[in-house]
Amino acid sequence: MGRRLDADTLLAQLKTTPAHLDPLYMVSGDEPLLVIETCDALRAAAVQAGYAERVSLILDARSDWSAVIGATQSVSLFGDRRLIDVAIPSGKPGKTGSDTLLRLAAMVDGGKLQDTIVLVSLPRLDRTTRNAKWAQGLTASATAVEIGNIERGALPRWIGQRLARQQQQLDPATLEWMADKVEGNLLAAFQEVQKLGLLYPEGRISPQDVERAVLNVARYDVFGLRDAMLAGNATRAVTMLTGLRAEGEALPLVLWAVGEEVRVLARLSAAQAAGEDLSSAMRRYRIFGPRENLIRQTLSRLPANAWPAAVQHAHDIDRIIKGLKVAGRLDDPWEELARLTLRIAVSRKPPPRAR
């Protein structure tokens, strides 16, 4: 039988009983930072519990879903337990994908997934999708973790909780001030919390110190890099990335910014390819103003089939940062991040064939 958990409860369980893992997890939500953190925690717990082999698949309605069932049935040369990591950025698996997910659910219910954990990650499911047969079947069999959005009113508390993990505290007024300065952007709030952890020791931080840290904006910033990449300004994007590296910006933070944008673009491209209205899809991801225009420009430059590879590229960089070798990638994660940035900045759709 499936069960529902919030992300905090799951993370607490993984810390207290890391070896007790369920065969099927479904993680969904529209806050990429929180979804990635939750999935990373599950992956780490799986490794700790002896699931040494990982099969990573990024799929949509047009993908070959036979690879999922094949991964559950193949035998490892070394007899390792395995984690099958299935990402569905569009949230739309299509007919074949739906059937495959239902088959997975049936395998779990029948106790047929031996030495295997399946992790399915999705964007937040709307009402129509929730009522789909595949979603109901998956939810009934999986440990479902739905990650809600952090609204502006809840952001000060969220920042406070993140600071507490670093053994740091702020007064309520300063937490409100920080939430205002990041304009409700969760990734920006995360970046500022990380910055405070690097700049100041454990304990209470004064409002004056927080103000100096938050207002000390680097000459090169991750959002400028993102905008240059979206605008197709390859020269500026590389300059920004080089500047961030020279100024000592934390590489994981830069990857969060670029990787989040790539994942959102992949979801929007898939939604557009499925016939969904792009404006409605962007409202769902809270994309407004100048960024909306940049997103449209980028989607018009790159074909829909380019996005799964770009998302995989971001995952590969994350693995390199963690010290893992990735076939076909450079050992320097900064260089690979430059490649990913250029992949988005300079790509063009091929011209239509002459008739």
Side-chain angles (χ1 to χ4, degrees):
M1 286 292 292
R3 58 184 181 137
R4 292 176 180 269
L5 297 176
D6 58 57
D8 290 338
T9 301
L10 173 66
L11 295 177
Q13 289 185 0
L14 293 178
K15 288 181 180 179
T16 54
T17 55
H20 179 70
L21 296 172
D22 297 322
L24 178 60
Y25 289 90
M26 182 176 74
V27 178
S28 62
D30 283 339
E31 291 286 7
L33 172 66
L34 303 183
V35 171
I36 292 169
E37 285 185 339
T38 302
C39 291
D40 280 349
L42 278 167
R43 293 176 190 123
V47 171
Q48 187 176 350
Y51 292 82
E53 182 182 350
R54 178 185 169 196
V55 179
S56 181
L57 301 167
I58 301 172
L59 304 169
D60 59 21
R62 302 179 182 179
S63 300
D64 178 8
W65 283 80
S66 64
V68 178
I69 301 300
T72 67
Q73 298 175 346
S74 62
V75 178
S76 170
L77 292 175
F78 304 101
D80 291 331
R81 293 175 167 183
R82 70 167 62 85
L83 169 68
I84 302 174
D85 196 341
V86 180
I88 313 173
S90 68
K92 307 292 184 183
K95 177 63 168 63
T96 303
S98 299
D99 292 342
T100 302
L101 293 172
L102 285 172
R103 185 175 172 186
L104 272 178
M107 292 171 71
V108 170
D109 293 339
K112 296 180 180 179
L113 280 185
Q114 297 297 322
D115 296 326
T116 301
I117 294 174
V118 179
L119 168 59
V120 180
S121 56
L122 302 137
R124 183 181 63 84
L125 303 181
D126 56 31
R127 181 177 298 179
T128 301
T129 307
R130 286 175 191 272
N131 291 330
K133 187 176 179 181
W134 69 266
Q136 292 187 341
L138 203 61
T139 303
S141 301
T143 297
V145 184
E146 185 169 350
I147 299 173
N149 293 333
I150 305 297
E151 303 297 341
R152 169 60 184 83
L155 189 55
R157 180 172 175 269
W158 186 88
I159 294 172
Q161 290 172 336
R162 287 303 172 110
L163 285 168
R165 294 184 186 181
Q166 303 170 178
Q167 307 301 317
Q168 293 176 316
Q169 301 90 36
L170 295 179
D171 62 75
T174 306
L175 290 173
E176 287 287 348
W177 181 85
M178 277 190 68
D180 283 339
K181 288 303 175 184
V182 299
E183 299 179 348
N185 186 299
L186 198 67
L187 178 61
F190 172 79
Q191 185 177 7
E192 296 302 337
V193 169
Q194 296 292 98
K195 186 192 297 183
L196 292 175
L198 293 171
L199 291 175
Y200 301 114
E202 296 177 0
R204 184 168 291 277
I205 307 173
S206 71
Q208 294 78 18
D209 285 340
V210 174
E211 184 174 346
R212 278 193 294 270
V214 173
L215 294 180
N216 181 23
V217 181
R219 180 183 172 195
Y220 303 101
D221 66 271
V222 292
F223 299 108
L225 168 63
R226 179 198 69 186
D227 290 348
M229 178 182 73
L230 295 180
N233 191 335
T235 301
R236 178 165 174 75
V238 171
T239 300
M240 296 286 287
L241 188 61
T242 304
L244 287 165
R245 184 176 189 176
E247 290 182 346
E249 186 63 85
L251 177 54
L253 294 179
V254 184
L255 179 60
W256 280 120
V258 174
E260 177 196 24
E261 206 66 13
V262 168
R263 282 182 281 271
V264 170
L265 283 159
R267 292 173 182 173
L268 290 172
S269 178
Q272 191 176 33
E276 184 176 345
D277 178 65
L278 183 57
S279 296
S280 299
M282 285 199 279
R283 294 293 84 77
R284 189 168 68 249
Y285 291 105
R286 296 179 293 175
I287 297 171
F288 306 96
R291 185 178 170 220
E292 178 177 348
N293 294 328
L294 289 173
I295 291 285
R296 289 183 182 276
Q297 290 176 29
T298 307
L299 291 174
S300 68
R301 285 191 292 106
L302 277 80
N305 60 10
W307 292 111
V311 172
Q312 183 62 55
H313 199 163
H315 283 306
D316 289 346
I317 296 170
D318 180 59
R319 297 183 67 196
I320 296 169
I321 291 173
K322 294 173 180 174
L324 302 174
K325 291 279 188 181
V326 180
R329 304 292 188 200
L330 301 173
D331 292 335
D332 185 343
W334 282 102
E335 293 296 330
E336 276 302 332
L337 186 54
R339 285 184 168 187
L340 174 58
T341 303
L342 290 173
R343 182 179 206 148
I344 308 304
V346 304
S347 296
R348 299 286 187 276
K349 280 187 177 179
R353 294 181 180 178
R355 294 183 178 180

